[in-house]
Amino acid sequence: AQTVTQSQPEMSVQEAETVTLSCTYDTSESNYYLFWYKQPPSRQMILVIRQEAYKQQNATENRFSVNFQKAAKSFSLKISDSQLGDTAMYFCAFMSLIIQGAQKLVFGQGTRLTINP
Amino acid sequence: NAGVTQTPKFRILKIGQSMTLQCTQDMNHNYMYWYRQDPGMGLKLIYYSVGAGITDKGEVPNGYNVSRSTTEDFPLRLELAAPSQTSVYFCASTYGQINEQYFGPGTRLTVT
């Protein structure tokens, strides 16, 4: 069974700083996808970034980038020039395909990130 | 498009009561999912559906039932509510195998 571990329950940085959130996972599969989701106080789950395991290049979306180390099964999220609106819970998620192409998302426990003014 | 909508937003149940959480999507997605999120935890898959008439169990299905009579709707039924079912419930949908899941706003359920 796949597991996802986020070892930092809480983090806090000053606005405009760079912050890195850690995530490790365990799987025997070779073809899978990894995601970072953001959950602000509104509770809405918002996709931040995704990474296909077969791609060696790290994904980037504006101020968000990942450091994907497949051999180490590590998938960290870097937020550059952090903004007050980045304050949220961040979840790392592993996706594999199950029956008839449906997705199985396994989530980590989350990291609560606070951006201070 | 409204995306994925869920009703109600909040609900308090007494032990042993039953209720149905509604989920509707207007994006013509074939795959739909139900998750629960316990306090301080990530989401766990309860049930999923690959299309109308086809459903299957996820990681934590006990105490729940689902049906999928149309592409748009995927209701989650709680029978004999228990305090362990106190949680936030999210519905999600996606089109195709590897596309992003779109989440609804969630339903906060308390069983006392």
Side-chain angles (χ1 to χ4, degrees):
Chain A
Q2 295 89 3
T3 58
V4 177
T5 303
Q6 294 178 248
S7 58
Q8 304 150 312
E10 293 188 30
M11 296 188 73
S12 178
V13 298
Q14 296 298 121
E15 192 175 8
E17 289 183 344
T18 294
V19 60
T20 299
L21 281 58
S22 300
C23 173
T24 59
Y25 59 94
D26 189 23
T27 184
S28 58
E29 298 182 23
S30 58
N31 187 23
Y32 50 88
Y33 300 81
L34 295 162
F35 300 87
W36 278 97
Y37 279 90
K38 170 184 177 180
Q39 187 179 43
S42 66
R43 238 173 33 207
Q44 184 71 43
M45 293 291 287
I46 302 167
L47 179 65
V48 175
I49 200 166
R50 61 180 278 169
Q51 174 79 42
E52 292 87 346
Y54 63 87
K55 289 187 177 179
Q56 292 186 337
Q57 186 173 5
N58 289 325
T60 299
E61 289 286 343
N62 300 313
R63 296 183 295 108
F64 299 87
S65 62
V66 299
N67 183 4
F68 174 49
Q69 301 289 329
K70 189 173 183 179
K73 297 180 181 176
S74 170
F75 183 59
S76 61
L77 174 69
K78 185 172 83 171
I79 306 174
S80 303
D81 186 26
S82 57
Q83 300 174 358
L84 297 179
D86 295 332
T87 292
M89 281 287 285
Y90 285 81
F91 292 98
C92 178
F94 172 99
M95 189 196 88
S96 58
L97 296 179
I98 48 180
I99 188 170
Q100 296 186 53
Q103 301 173 357
K104 178 182 178 182
L105 275 178
V106 177
F107 287 84
Q109 307 92 318
T111 296
R112 184 176 302 278
L113 176 64
T114 301
I115 310 299
N116 299 308
Chain B
N1 288 348
V4 180
T5 57
Q6 292 183 237
T7 56
K9 287 187 169 55
F10 305 93
R11 182 73 183 270
I12 299 175
L13 281 181
K14 294 189 183 303
I15 295 172
Q17 288 185 320
S18 300
M19 77 164 293
T20 299
L21 282 65
Q22 300 293 342
C23 174
T24 299
Q25 53 89 11
D26 62 358
M27 298 173 283
N28 201 32
H29 286 174
N30 46 346
Y31 299 100
M32 295 188 74
Y33 307 84
W34 272 107
Y35 295 90
R36 60 177 287 172
Q37 183 182 25
D38 297 331
M41 302 295 289
L43 282 67
K44 292 187 177 180
L45 183 64
I46 305 172
Y47 269 95
Y48 67 95
S49 170
V50 301
I54 307 171
T55 64
D56 207 346
K57 297 177 181 178
E59 191 180 357
V60 288
N62 291 343
Y64 307 94
N65 278 302
V66 295
S67 59
R68 183 102 180 265
S69 57
T70 66
T71 299
E72 296 78 19
D73 300 307
F74 190 39
L76 178 71
R77 177 81 178 164
L78 278 73
E79 305 282 0
L80 298 175
S84 61
Q85 294 178 304
T86 293
S87 191
V88 179
Y89 291 84
F90 289 95
C91 180
S93 72
T94 188
Y95 181 80
Q97 296 182 357
I98 61 171
N99 295 329
E100 172 190 355
Q101 286 191 21
Y102 291 83
F103 285 84
T107 294
R108 182 178 294 278
L109 175 67
T110 302
V111 182
T112 61

